Amino acid sequence: MSLLLVADIGGTNGRFGLVEYDAENVRANGQINYTAERQITLKCAEHADMAAMIKACCSQFGIDIPAYGCLAIAGPIENGQASMTNLNWKFSIDGLRDQLGMKTLHVINDFASLAYAVPFLQENELVTLYESNKANAEAPIVVMGPGTGFGMAALVPSQNNWKIIPTEGGHASFAPTNDKELAIKSFLLKEQAHVSVENILSGGGLVTLYRALAHNSGAEAKPYTPADVSTKGLANEDPLCREAVLTFCDVLGEVAGDKALSVGARGGVVIGGGITPKLKDLLPESHFLERYKNKGPMAGYVSDISIRLIVNDKAALVGSAAWLIHNTVELKAH
């Protein structure tokens, strides 16, 4: 039995988990465990750097640093160098591996990890928002999600594995499809030169929608946070917040259909991130599904593509474990 260290590290918190990899069980029946049964969360601000946080994590687990690990980080990785977007942490992956005395250390983008988790999630970790019986197992899956920003990646079947194609789809232009959304974009264009999908479909986007709707209705916007807008909208305590979350759902459906077409995602659409699970009960009241299928001559194409929602907020740990197991020669050899 080997312990694998997996992590999902953002600007505020680092979630760590230990996965028990049973080589004998894998050899015997091919069953692989991707779930971290032991998990802890640490505050990034309480540690000097990535190495210090990993050491503190293992100390809390009461173990030596494992030989194998995979970190999913909120930030870019290029040429073996990783940097955290909202932390002043930069490191060499090989340097960190050697400093910690590990045999293998993978570092991948956090959304890539979320995307890679999709084929390995359990049934109860996904909710079907729209079902079609025409899924193509040999076609790509598009994984997207509004959270702090808007992430997007494609999963492509490749020789009994999956290849991740990262994208910057969140920075594609926001395309209004009705007068209300045209007015929202017009309002935002007075503040910025480019209005992206991420400007609408994100935590900050909820506030942006609320501000734009208030302005366009002649009301005074209150200093609400994203949590305020979603909470008051869901509870129907503020009409403009309610309209903001419904508009958010509408645009999410529109964008999901756009991305499915762009990627050729006949394998399915999967939505992740922290916002949509909180709004899922509001989706039927919105025009989410109508807007998803509103693709003119391609309406039938997207109607054949199912939509699922990730409801496990620790899915990135599953993706990190799966990435580590399927991309480490020593582990694959078993």
Side-chain angles (χ1 to χ4, degrees):
M1 181 80 71
S2 299
L3 287 179
L4 312 180
L5 180 67
V6 295
D8 175 20
I9 303 168
T12 304
N13 297 313
R15 289 173 169 171
F16 292 86
L18 292 177
V19 173
E20 295 183 347
Y21 183 79
D22 188 340
E24 190 171 310
N25 189 42
V26 173
R27 281 196 298 268
N29 55 35
Q31 291 184 353
I32 301 176
N33 174 42
Y34 301 106
T35 302
E37 301 295 347
R38 297 173 61 189
Q39 300 180 13
I40 59 171
T41 299
L42 302 180
K43 295 290 185 184
C44 298
E46 296 176 359
H47 305 278
D49 53 28
M50 188 66 75
M53 187 159 66
I54 291 173
K55 290 176 182 177
C57 151
C58 292
S59 176
Q60 287 199 30
F61 277 135
I63 62 169
D64 293 332
I65 296 173
Y68 301 98
C70 181
L71 313 178
I73 69 164
I77 300 107
E78 293 184 10
N79 301 318
Q81 302 293 316
S83 58
M84 302 290 293
T85 300
N86 294 309
L87 275 176
N88 190 27
W89 288 4
K90 297 181 180 180
F91 57 92
S92 157
I93 297 172
D94 288 349
L96 179 63
R97 177 201 63 206
D98 294 344
Q99 181 182 355
L100 296 171
M102 301 178 77
K103 187 171 184 178
T104 298
L105 176 65
H106 294 276
V107 179
I108 60 178
N109 176 266
D110 59 345
F111 203 84
S113 178
L114 181 65
Y116 201 76
V118 169
F120 308 103
L121 293 175
Q122 302 297 312
E123 294 260 338
N124 62 356
E125 296 173 303
L126 294 157
V127 169
T128 298
L129 300 180
Y130 169 69
E131 188 164 13
S132 165
N133 60 3
K134 296 183 179 180
N136 183 343
E138 297 181 356
I141 297 171
V142 65
V143 185
M144 65 186 73
T148 303
F150 184 92
M152 175 185 162
L155 273 175
V156 181
S158 176
Q159 298 179 342
N160 298 318
N161 199 350
W162 293 87
K163 180 176 176 59
I164 300 173
I165 301 176
T167 82
E168 292 297 340
H171 297 284
S173 298
F174 165 52
T177 59
N178 55 41
D179 289 342
K180 177 176 72 175
E181 291 170 12
L182 283 167
I184 290 170
K185 186 162 186 176
S186 178
F187 168 77
L188 291 177
L189 284 171
K190 295 172 183 175
E191 300 181 344
Q192 58 199 75
H194 175 243
V195 181
S196 69
V197 168
E198 182 170 286
N199 292 147
I200 306 297
L201 296 181
S202 61
L206 281 168
V207 176
T208 294
L209 286 170
Y210 166 76
R211 289 194 306 109
L213 291 167
H215 175 270
N216 293 336
S217 66
E220 182 179 350
K222 297 176 182 178
Y224 286 156
T225 65
D228 291 334
V229 175
S230 61
T231 300
K232 292 178 183 297
L234 284 168
N236 209 3
E237 293 177 1
D238 183 308
L240 285 174
C241 289
R242 183 73 169 187
E243 188 175 0
V245 293
L246 285 169
T247 303
F248 184 99
C249 294
D250 292 352
V251 175
L252 180 60
E254 186 80 37
V255 169
D258 288 346
K259 303 306 186 187
L261 288 175
S262 298
V263 173
R266 303 301 292 266
V269 170
V270 178
I271 299 175
I275 296 176
T276 311
K278 298 173 184 176
L279 302 181
K280 70 180 177 66
D281 292 339
L282 198 63
L283 292 176
E285 186 177 330
S286 74
H287 300 289
F288 171 82
L289 193 55
E290 175 187 330
R291 294 283 293 274
Y292 174 68
K293 297 179 180 180
N294 181 33
K295 301 304 169 193
M298 289 291 104
Y301 185 101
V302 292
S303 295
D304 288 345
I305 300 174
S306 298
I307 311 173
R308 292 177 295 163
L309 173 67
I310 298 173
V311 292
N312 175 6
D313 65 355
K314 297 182 179 63
L317 294 182
V318 175
S320 295
W323 179 269
L324 179 61
I325 291 167
H326 289 276
N327 292 279
T328 300
V329 172
E330 294 91 334
L331 299 178
K332 287 172 66 177
H334 293 306

